[in-house]
Amino acid sequence: MAALIEAASLKDFPAEIVVVISNRAEAGGLERARASGIPTVTIESKPFGKDRAAFEAVLQSALDPHRVELICLGGFMRLFTAEFVQRWYGRMLNIHPSLLPSFPGLDPQGQALRAGVKISGATVHFVIPETDAGPIVMQGAVAVADDDTPETLAARILEIEHRIYPDALRLLAGGEIRLQGDICKTAGSAGSGDVLISPAA
């Protein structure tokens, strides 16, 4: 969220952050948002229990007054109903600390280390009802070291997350992304030209 706030403060950024909403009152991002002059809303999810639809109705009523057009999730560990996801299809982004479709769900860094992969990273994707399974917008990769722990790998992946999430939002808000079925296409798409091989021979 902090990376998105920083990016959105630039004059040429095509999106404005109009509200930050959390389902936990103690979330550190709320203070960061307030310090940047961004309105915040807390909707505690625990009182709703398993009634996701009731929670989402309150959430939608908090989004509407701010005329929200795009949602960017960050560290939001609550699943949405299919109805809410369909309402926001193509307009709701999430970021996940793995190279999806590998290692969805919880503990992706631990999953990557247990699988012995040599490259991991982060993925920005559109949200669909299935967890961490939506069309991929952008990915960034890091090498995995033999002595990595879930914590050290997570720290390096976080740096990548801070780079690609604002870039993905820039593309979406700037109208440079289109969906073809379950595949995300980017106008004028070209890779960075960099190749990451790990371990280096």
Side-chain angles (χ1 to χ4, degrees):
M1 188 208 68
L4 294 177
I5 289 175
E6 185 176 341
S9 69
L10 302 176
K11 289 183 179 179
D12 66 340
F13 199 80
E16 175 189 2
I17 299 177
V18 295
V19 65
V20 170
I21 300 175
S22 175
N23 65 323
R24 293 185 298 112
E26 70 276 12
L30 292 171
E31 185 54 42
R32 173 69 168 83
R34 287 190 284 265
S36 299
I38 299 169
T40 63
V41 176
T42 299
I43 306 169
E44 289 282 359
S45 54
K46 282 186 179 180
F48 293 93
K50 295 182 179 180
D51 191 347
R52 291 187 286 162
F55 171 79
E56 291 163 2
V58 176
L59 173 60
Q60 187 65 51
S61 70
L63 294 167
D64 290 339
H66 296 280
R67 298 182 180 177
V68 171
E69 297 177 9
L70 303 171
I71 296 175
C72 294
L73 302 176
F76 190 79
M77 305 301 288
R78 188 176 173 93
L79 295 176
F80 290 118
T81 63
E83 291 77 15
F84 186 83
V85 170
Q86 287 300 325
R87 174 185 293 183
W88 286 94
Y89 181 71
R91 299 185 296 140
M92 181 160 48
L93 295 176
N94 187 38
I95 190 158
H96 183 75
S98 79
L99 294 176
L100 293 173
S102 297
F103 316 126
L106 299 176
D107 189 28
Q109 299 91 347
Q111 290 184 61
L113 293 176
R114 289 189 293 274
V117 298
K118 305 306 180 188
I119 296 172
S120 188
T123 302
V124 180
H125 64 94
F126 285 110
V127 176
I128 65 172
E130 294 76 26
T131 302
D132 298 327
I136 292 169
V137 177
M138 187 175 286
Q139 293 180 302
V142 299
V144 178
D146 287 345
D147 61 351
D148 262 328
T149 65
E151 293 74 23
T152 60
L153 181 57
R156 285 204 312 288
I157 291 175
L158 185 61
E159 293 179 20
I160 293 291
E161 292 183 59
H162 289 171
R163 289 175 57 184
I164 68 172
Y165 212 173
D167 288 346
L169 177 57
R170 179 188 293 274
L171 290 175
L172 180 58
E176 297 182 60
I177 290 176
R178 68 186 187 283
L179 286 168
Q180 291 185 352
D182 294 332
I183 305 296
C184 181
K185 302 287 188 177
T186 307
S189 177
S192 65
D194 296 329
V195 175
L196 175 60
I197 297 174
S198 177

